[in-house]
Amino acid sequence: LLDTVGQPQQVLLDPAQPGAWVVPAAGLALLALAVWSCRGSRAMGFGLGFTVLALLPVSNLFVTTATILGERLLYFPSVGFCLYLAVALGRLCDRFVPGERNARVAFAILVAALGLGHGARTWLRNPVWRSESRLVLHDVAVVPGSTKAQLNAGKALQDLGRHDEAIAHFERALAIAPENSTVYTNWAYSLSAQGRHREAARLLEEQLR
């Protein structure tokens, strides 16, 4: 496979590794659960099936994408999951809460609790988005093993003129993924900004190699 600039794409997981089959197995399990759920509720079966099918285009199973992790990839698939969850909660309330009115109250309480819980999580997350630098530095603290997070953190610090700290992140980004050629250009820029032009030139030569 080739990426947009004609370079060979990195294989995310080797099919020979057992871990590479976890996601396909989970997808098949969800599809099987969707078919089984149709026996009791077509809405639940549709919800799970929709979730799996909506995830396939961004799953990297058939077409590799530039992104392997991101909550935005779950927005559309979550429509089906929310449908499944709502119907499942309603059926649980009907089964375990005596009385139709009490079951509806219990269902409303559960849905309100879910909404409030996720709302609180959103409230806590919002301050991270106050600036680009704050966002990427938070992300690199959460996923330090991501070359993309390290590169983004370095670029943000570079824009702030904090070149020593930026270079440290560029070094980590290359240590994680030496084939990430974009790092060389940014690293060389920070070196040049510090007057270390020979080092910057050597780095760009390494990038070309």
Side-chain angles (χ1 to χ4, degrees), residues 18-207:
W21 295 96
V22 172
V23 172
L28 289 174
L30 283 176
L31 282 177
L33 180 59
V35 173
W36 181 82
S37 297
C38 284
R39 298 170 58 186
S41 170
R42 289 186 178 181
M44 291 177 65
F46 173 81
L48 271 186
F50 181 92
T51 300
V52 176
L53 293 177
L55 276 172
L56 285 179
V58 294
S59 65
N60 288 289
L61 290 175
F62 304 106
V63 179
T64 53
T65 66
T67 303
I68 59 173
L69 179 66
E71 63 271 21
R72 62 189 180 279
L73 304 180
L74 296 177
Y75 290 161
F76 188 52
S78 70
V79 173
F81 178 75
C82 288
L83 172 62
Y84 173 84
L85 183 62
V87 177
L89 287 176
R91 290 171 67 86
L92 284 174
C93 290
D94 289 339
R95 181 171 181 179
F96 294 105
V97 179
E100 181 179 351
R101 186 173 183 276
N102 292 336
R104 290 182 178 180
V105 171
F107 176 78
I109 292 173
L110 286 174
V111 171
L114 282 172
L116 289 172
H118 283 84
R121 183 67 186 91
T122 301
W123 180 270
L124 293 174
R125 171 71 173 171
N126 279 343
V128 177
W129 291 84
R130 288 179 180 171
S131 67
E132 182 180 0
S133 59
R134 186 168 185 172
L135 174 64
V136 296
L137 291 175
H138 174 271
D139 287 347
V140 79
V142 175
V143 281
S146 166
T147 183
K148 188 173 183 179
Q150 293 288 353
L151 173 59
N152 289 341
K155 289 166 66 176
L157 291 167
Q158 187 180 74
D159 291 341
L160 295 173
R162 296 158 60 180
H163 294 288
D164 284 332
E165 295 173 77
I167 288 171
H169 284 288
F170 295 144
E171 290 176 343
R172 294 189 198 111
L174 273 187
I176 296 167
E179 73 282 355
N180 191 348
S181 61
T182 308
V183 179
Y184 289 92
T185 308
N186 289 277
W187 189 350
Y189 180 86
S190 282
L191 289 173
S192 183
Q194 294 179 323
R196 300 158 65 182
H197 303 298
R198 291 184 181 276
E199 293 178 66
R202 285 197 296 270
L203 202 60
L204 292 176
E205 290 172 359
E206 177 65 24
Q207 179 188 30

Side-chain angles (χ1 to χ4, degrees), residues 1-16:
L1 295 174
L2 300 178
D3 63 17
T4 54
V5 293
Q7 297 293 327
Q9 289 184 339
Q10 182 185 11
V11 176
L12 300 180
L13 282 174
D14 187 346

